[in-house]
Amino acid sequence: MKNLRKQIKDNKDIFDDQEPMEGHFERFEALLDKQEKEKRKPIKRMQLMGIISIAASIVVLMVVAIQFYSPQHIPNDLPVIENTMEVSDEFRATNDFYNRQMQEQIADIMCKLANTDSENQALLNRDLQKIIDGNAAFVNDMANADDEEMAIHYLVKHYKANIQALENINEKLGKYTKC
């Protein structure tokens, strides 16, 4: 073998003057392209599998986070005047109108609240519960009031103040999260 190498080295001029066969460069290029494509296929598969596994991990983390860190359920059952109370249709309609607006605000807040940290969730849950409880007590007091016109007037003022407070909370949460 050493003699063969020595002979090739000594007679290099003989080997270098010959041209490759016709189409050699095209076949060589095709062979290189084929080898390059075969190397890229596993990489693409690995990249795709990596992306899929990352996406699956994110989904699992989101499910776990929502399960453990979602805000405690706040009852959205805002006061609805019982049928046993003697109130006018105007009082009932006014209460229902503003009641719906409060429920919409609370639903939007709860959606955004699910995306905040647990400390904010606890604080806002307590604040929302106070608003809901205070509203229920106020509506019941107004439903039992003697002067219906004044009761409706104060009911509207009370609801507007509560809705404004809820809108402020919702707006502040909206700066950080969109639902």
Side-chain angles (χ1 to χ4, degrees):
M1 188 72 153
K2 289 185 180 184
N3 290 337
L4 181 61
R5 287 187 187 199
K6 184 178 180 202
Q7 187 176 359
I8 291 173
K9 193 175 188 181
D10 292 341
N11 298 315
K12 188 176 180 182
D13 299 338
I14 298 172
F15 295 110
D16 284 345
D17 69 347
Q18 301 272 328
E19 286 288 323
M21 294 187 321
E22 189 175 316
H24 170 73
F25 291 113
E26 289 81 17
R27 288 191 305 274
F28 187 70
E29 291 280 334
L31 183 62
L32 285 176
D33 288 342
K34 182 179 176 184
Q35 287 177 350
E36 209 171 293
K37 285 180 183 177
E38 287 176 2
K39 285 182 182 177
R40 276 191 251 152
K41 283 182 182 178
I43 291 173
K44 284 184 180 179
R45 285 185 195 140
M46 288 174 43
Q47 288 175 344
L48 180 62
M49 292 303 289
I51 291 170
I52 290 172
S53 64
I54 289 170
S57 299
I58 290 171
V59 168
V60 168
L61 285 174
M62 287 176 60
V63 167
V64 169
I66 289 171
Q67 195 69 24
F68 289 107
Y69 295 109
S70 64
Q72 297 169 350
H73 177 69
I74 290 184
N76 278 348
D77 51 339
L78 294 173
V80 177
I81 300 170
E82 300 170 12
N83 290 333
T84 58
M85 291 184 179
E86 298 283 330
V87 292
S88 71
D89 290 338
E90 183 180 1
F91 187 89
R92 190 178 307 279
T94 303
N95 183 59
D96 291 345
F97 173 77
Y98 287 108
N99 193 356
R100 250 182 269 115
Q101 286 184 359
M102 276 188 68
Q103 286 178 346
E104 289 171 7
Q105 287 294 324
I106 289 174
D108 199 29
I109 289 170
M110 294 305 291
C111 174
K112 291 176 182 177
L113 197 57
N115 297 313
T116 62
D117 60 72
S118 57
E119 188 176 318
N120 280 340
Q121 288 177 3
L123 290 171
L124 286 172
N125 278 335
R126 283 194 301 267
D127 291 344
L128 287 173
Q129 192 61 51
K130 284 179 187 177
I131 290 172
I132 291 169
D133 292 342
N135 189 58
F138 186 80
V139 169
N140 285 333
D141 288 347
M142 289 297 105
N144 294 325
D146 294 333
D147 187 356
E148 186 177 328
E149 189 175 314
M150 187 185 305
I152 291 173
H153 173 75
Y154 284 114
L155 181 72
V156 169
K157 285 184 120 185
H158 177 76
Y159 267 118
K160 285 184 177 180
N162 282 344
I163 291 170
Q164 183 63 44
L166 292 172
E167 285 173 350
N168 289 340
I169 292 170
N170 199 359
E171 184 179 319
K172 287 180 182 174
L173 285 173
K175 290 180 182 176
Y176 307 106
T177 331
K178 299 284 184 205
C179 278

